[in-house]
Amino acid sequence: MLTPYGRVLSRPGALAFSLAGLGARLPNSMVGLGLVLLVESATGSYGRAGLVAAVYVLAQAALAVPQGRWIDRWGQGPMLLGTGVVWSLGLLGVVAVVQADGPLGLAAAVAALSGAAFPAGGACIRARWSALLEEPADRETAFALESVVDEVVYLLGPLLITLLATTVHPAAGLVAAAVLGGVGAVALAAQRRTAPARHPRARGDRPVAAMPWRSVVPLAVVSLAFGTLFGAAEVSTVATAEDAGRTGAAGPLLALWALGSLVAGLVAGTVAWRHGPGTRLRWGSAAMLVAILGIGLAAATGSLIALGAAFVIAGSAIAPTMIAAFTAVEQRVPTPRLTEGMAFLQTGLGAGIAPGAALAGAVIDARDGASGFVVAVLGGLVALLASLTLPPDPARRPVAAPAATGPR
């Protein structure tokens, strides 16, 4: 089963940039929680901690797509190097301000600077795979691998930062995230051989490639809706476990969800698909909606065993659906704007989590933990409807004419 993965990882430079990308992406699942743990330990206020974390996330979401555009224009090397350094120093700056009992406004401002500069590691890695691999089947395998890496990130990150913050020092987790992410971004920037060609702003007879908005907008909405689903489901899981008197079960339940997705992602990367990514995205979105309904019903029974089984089943729909979404972007967006196109999906996922969690929290406060899954179901419904508006799969990947390429 692992033969397709060995084939793509054996390409020159592939294993090196994939490992560097893992380090660059680990902070994705560490910084938000780390900021909450740090600020709350210093101020005793979850409200202030949540404010600093929210400012960081919003700044990251606001600049992710423009950063993808700049990467396509100026190249991965200089952008990853610059953003990696600024992001790491900004995060360490937040630690310094909080540890020095500085003003909350200053901590939030530095957090915003750091969030805005967060390196677009995931989009860059997928763009590298697209440039390195010629066969569509190999690209599918590579995107499956990246979905598995994403699941590993979201399994390990929270565990690592919680362990460091609670057993070493409240700031230790954020310092570790700053080091891991900064080193990963710089290591990725240094690997120029596998970096895609840059595409400078067109001049004269070299027009900028048009973004296929009829495809990108539905894909971005699908991603945003899935982010809302994930955020709502996480909060609802914690509340449901608390209602059952087993608050500590929330972590293992969510780990089962990620485990189901990880295994499904590994399997998906070995399948020779008969249908295109757009078709698979529609079926996957339908499966996600049914799966989250199943989770809600299991939560309503109050049985954590039933809920755990539902999470494993539901997790198996996540990775194949997201693989289809990223493959659809890769096939539909012209090469000169590919990183920007990938950034729309990753931004949507991140931007949807906070409102999903907030809406579910309001429902939970009014009723109970299981009721919060209604918000997740609505997110799944929006994703399905958006996927149905996606145009048919193209016969081939679009190529800008004439192609605007430049030196790496």
Side-chain angles (χ1 to χ4, degrees):
M1 186 182 84
L2 298 180
T3 301
Y5 293 103
R7 184 171 63 249
V8 298
L9 286 171
S10 66
R11 299 295 292 269
L15 181 59
F17 74 65
S18 189
L19 290 175
L22 172 60
R25 279 182 285 176
L26 261 176
N28 265 333
S29 61
M30 297 176 68
V31 175
L33 178 58
L35 287 171
V36 170
L37 294 173
L38 174 68
V39 178
E40 192 281 329
S41 71
T43 66
S45 169
Y46 278 105
R48 294 181 179 182
L51 174 63
V52 175
V55 167
Y56 173 91
V57 171
L58 289 174
Q60 180 182 341
L63 268 292
V65 171
Q67 188 185 141
R69 187 181 308 125
W70 298 331
I71 289 171
D72 284 329
R73 184 178 302 169
W74 297 322
Q76 290 192 10
M79 283 298 300
L80 284 169
L81 180 61
T83 57
V85 171
V86 172
W87 171 79
S88 293
L89 292 177
L91 197 58
L92 293 174
V94 176
V95 173
V97 171
V98 173
Q99 290 299 107
D101 293 325
L104 182 67
L106 179 59
V110 180
L113 172 64
S114 180
F118 184 72
C124 286
I125 291 295
R126 288 178 168 91
R128 286 188 186 233
W129 282 121
S130 181
L132 182 67
L133 303 173
E134 299 84 10
E135 295 297 325
D138 287 343
R139 290 174 180 167
E140 291 259 11
T141 297
F143 291 157
L145 174 64
E146 294 311 311
S147 290
V148 170
V149 171
D150 285 338
E151 296 302 336
V152 171
V153 163
Y154 281 95
L155 276 172
L156 293 182
L159 294 175
L160 178 60
I161 200 158
T162 302
L163 178 66
L164 291 173
T166 56
T167 63
V168 180
H169 189 277
L174 283 180
V175 172
V179 172
L180 285 170
V183 169
V186 172
L188 192 56
Q191 298 177 45
R192 300 181 61 189
R193 182 177 60 171
T194 54
R198 64 185 181 91
H199 303 273
R201 182 182 293 275
R203 294 185 295 272
D205 61 351
R206 293 190 300 172
V208 174
M211 182 67 78
W213 294 112
R214 285 191 60 211
S215 293
V216 170
V217 171
L219 288 168
V221 173
V222 168
S223 184
L224 180 68
F226 279 151
T228 303
L229 185 156
F230 297 149
E234 288 177 3
V235 172
S236 301
T237 301
V238 173
T240 300
E242 185 176 351
D243 289 347
R246 299 282 301 278
T247 304
L253 286 171
L254 293 173
L256 288 173
W257 201 16
L259 180 63
S261 179
L262 189 154
V263 173
L266 280 172
V267 174
T270 68
V271 175
W273 298 103
R274 298 176 59 185
H275 299 286
T279 301
R280 301 202 316 270
L281 178 63
R282 286 184 277 271
W283 281 106
S285 298
M288 282 292 297
L289 176 57
V290 173
I292 199 65
L293 277 168
I295 289 177
L297 292 174
T301 67
S303 169
L304 296 185
I305 294 177
L307 189 57
F311 266 125
V312 173
I313 295 171
S316 65
I318 297 175
T321 306
M322 295 313 302
I323 292 166
F326 279 108
T327 303
V329 170
E330 195 272 338
Q331 289 187 358
R332 295 162 188 257
V333 175
T335 300
R337 302 187 72 172
L338 183 56
T339 310
E340 180 185 355
M342 295 286 187
F344 272 102
L345 264 66
Q346 299 207 290
T347 300
L349 281 171
I353 289 176
L359 288 172
V363 173
I364 291 166
D365 287 342
R367 303 196 62 175
D368 57 20
S371 299
F373 285 104
V374 171
V375 177
V377 170
L378 291 176
L381 178 60
V382 171
L384 175 59
L385 294 175
S387 72
L388 294 176
T389 68
L390 190 66
D393 288 306
R396 64 179 64 186
R397 182 178 171 183
V399 178
T405 59
R408 295 182 182 176

